[in-house]
Amino acid sequence: MKYRRLGAVLGVLTMAAAGAWAQEAPAPGAPAGGVKLSYKYKPGMVTRYHCATSGKMTIDLSKMGLPAAGGQPAGAMPMDLSMEFDLVQKVKSVDADGTATVSQMIDAMTMNYKMMGQNIAAKTQNGKLVFTHNGQPMPAPPNMQGGEGVIGQSFEAKLAPTGRVSELKGQLSQQLRGMFGGQDISQLFGSGLPGLGMLVLPTEPLQIGQQWTQETAVSLPLPGNVAGEAGPKADYKIQYTLKEIQQKGTHQVALIDSRMEIALPHTEVPMPAPPGGNPPAQGGTMSMDNFSQTVSGTHSFDVTDGAFRTSDHTTKLGMQMQMSNPGAPAGAAPGTMGLDGSFNMKVSAGPDVAKPAPAKAAPAKAAPAKAKPKPKGAH
């Protein structure tokens, strides 16, 4: 039961989420007509994005009504979480308006969760995520079963010159459904949301200090929802500010501050089935209230090359979840679980450089030829 609920919590958290440069020198600022920021895609261009997230989550069980363990009532449980992965993007073609068709592939993923002396880790192995519990092999958590084959699978997307994802398709979209009980999560990556790096640019030129805003509402495919049914709507609002233009060698680089706010109304989700296939109690639900998440930080964008370079953001989130307790009498009030967390998220982009093949071993030297024995009587 503990791992099933932990898997559900991790599933919710999963939704809710540089190369060295020359010495910088401030540029004189944007030209009189403003600076135009735009992604400049080139056919055949291959970019590797490295994404790293780490932080702490505190789970408050003091209001869950759980029985005391060792004479101590349940309290706060701190959890350390970290995840890293690479996404390799190849531009297949570019339309006349600058829209690119790209193929993308998730590569080299690692995850780590630590809580109360327990350590659940995952790493890429033979195209799948392999999980361990305190160093011993374990099956994938319930919320990730069916999604183990996403590593190395490519999918296709259309990216506008602003960086907005306008279309997403491919086998990976089907594979990812297994991570959320059959729900289509492509809306989290497309349907108007910003692409990797969370940077969507405006269409008009900008002056230093000028702001622009992106807003959208997305149907969230939460674990436990019935496949095919729309999930609750989450409202995303991102405000960007052109902070500075820097000169780095022959390149102009824009520093852009951003702040994203995510709001989710009261939401009820059917309790997921426990391992073994036994259905949850009839009518059992898990509700979420007071969900809030903010993501604030800075992007660097190469104006000269028209390319995303880095981002560094801090995420803060909070939520309350209500759910029935196992073994509680009929009609008993549900317990309340509080979640609070803070995370750092970094993304860096650079050309995808093929790893050199291992050097071949030098051929073994031939053994020296043995001298032929002289015939008897020879001098």
Side-chain angles (χ1 to χ4, degrees):
M1 186 70 180
K2 177 174 66 176
Y3 290 115
R4 172 171 63 82
R5 284 190 174 164
L6 175 59
V9 171
L10 295 177
V12 173
L13 298 179
T14 303
M15 298 179 302
W21 286 84
Q23 180 67 31
E24 63 186 57
V35 60
K36 182 70 168 68
L37 304 179
S38 178
Y39 289 88
K40 301 174 184 178
Y41 306 112
K42 299 177 183 178
M45 182 172 64
V46 181
T47 304
R48 178 175 289 268
Y49 295 86
H50 180 73
C51 310
T53 300
S54 62
K56 294 182 179 294
M57 172 71 64
T58 300
I59 303 176
D60 183 5
L61 301 176
S62 61
K63 298 180 181 179
M64 277 294 293
L66 297 174
Q72 296 295 325
M77 297 192 306
M79 178 191 303
D80 293 325
L81 305 97
S82 64
M83 179 175 67
E84 293 191 36
F85 68 92
D86 287 356
L87 186 140
V88 180
Q89 180 187 89
K90 181 178 181 179
V91 179
K92 300 174 67 175
S93 63
V94 180
D95 297 340
D97 65 354
T99 299
T101 299
V102 303
S103 65
Q104 302 185 115
M105 178 184 70
I106 297 177
D107 183 30
M109 178 179 285
T110 61
M111 295 187 291
N112 206 320
Y113 307 98
K114 295 180 180 180
M115 182 177 67
M116 299 180 64
Q118 306 299 309
N119 185 10
I120 297 178
K123 65 178 181 180
T124 306
Q125 184 173 310
N126 298 325
K128 293 184 177 181
L129 278 178
V130 178
F131 290 83
T132 60
H133 175 218
N134 291 341
Q136 299 300 315
M138 66 169 285
N143 66 300
M144 293 187 178
Q145 290 176 358
E148 299 173 81
V150 302
I151 309 301
Q153 297 288 339
S154 63
F155 61 100
E156 190 172 288
K158 282 189 175 293
L159 306 178
T162 60
R164 184 182 296 275
V165 181
S166 60
E167 184 180 344
L168 181 69
K169 59 183 179 180
Q171 184 178 359
L172 183 64
S173 296
Q174 302 298 323
Q175 294 274 4
L176 287 172
R177 292 188 182 191
M179 299 176 69
F180 289 90
Q183 298 298 309
D184 182 4
I185 70 168
S186 63
Q187 293 186 79
L188 299 179
F189 300 92
S191 300
L193 276 183
L196 190 65
M198 205 181 72
L199 178 60
V200 173
L201 304 173
T203 55
E204 67 277 359
L206 297 168
Q207 299 291 339
I208 302 299
Q210 190 169 349
Q211 297 181 334
W212 68 100
T213 302
Q214 298 287 333
E215 295 185 60
T216 189
V218 175
S219 179
L220 295 180
L222 298 178
N225 282 3
V226 178
E229 291 186 2
K233 294 283 186 179
D235 294 320
Y236 287 69
K237 179 180 179 180
I238 312 177
Q239 181 171 286
Y240 301 94
T241 304
L242 178 57
K243 178 182 178 181
E244 186 180 353
I245 298 291
Q246 296 179 344
Q247 193 72 35
K248 296 188 175 182
T250 59
H251 289 246
Q252 280 194 328
V253 176
L255 297 185
I256 301 168
D257 287 343
S258 68
R259 178 181 173 84
M260 178 170 70
E261 297 180 351
I262 305 173
L264 181 68
H266 171 84
T267 301
E268 292 193 1
V269 182
M271 290 289 289
N278 297 322
Q282 185 174 2
T285 60
M286 178 174 62
S287 67
M288 294 184 291
D289 289 285
N290 302 323
F291 178 90
S292 65
Q293 181 174 352
T294 60
V295 184
S296 56
T298 302
H299 314 263
S300 70
F301 182 81
D302 190 319
V303 182
T304 306
D305 282 349
F308 170 92
R309 291 306 182 199
T310 67
S311 66
D312 190 343
H313 285 74
T314 296
T315 297
K316 295 185 180 298
L317 62 87
M319 176 174 55
Q320 287 185 333
M321 302 175 67
Q322 289 188 333
M323 62 184 72
S324 57
N325 291 315
T336 299
M337 176 191 299
L339 299 175
D340 287 286
S342 179
F343 301 87
N344 176 255
M345 303 187 299
K346 294 183 179 181
V347 180
S348 60
D352 184 43
V353 179
K355 295 181 180 179
K360 295 182 178 181
K365 295 182 179 180
K370 295 183 178 180
K372 294 182 179 180
K374 294 182 180 181
K376 291 182 179 182
H379 296 283

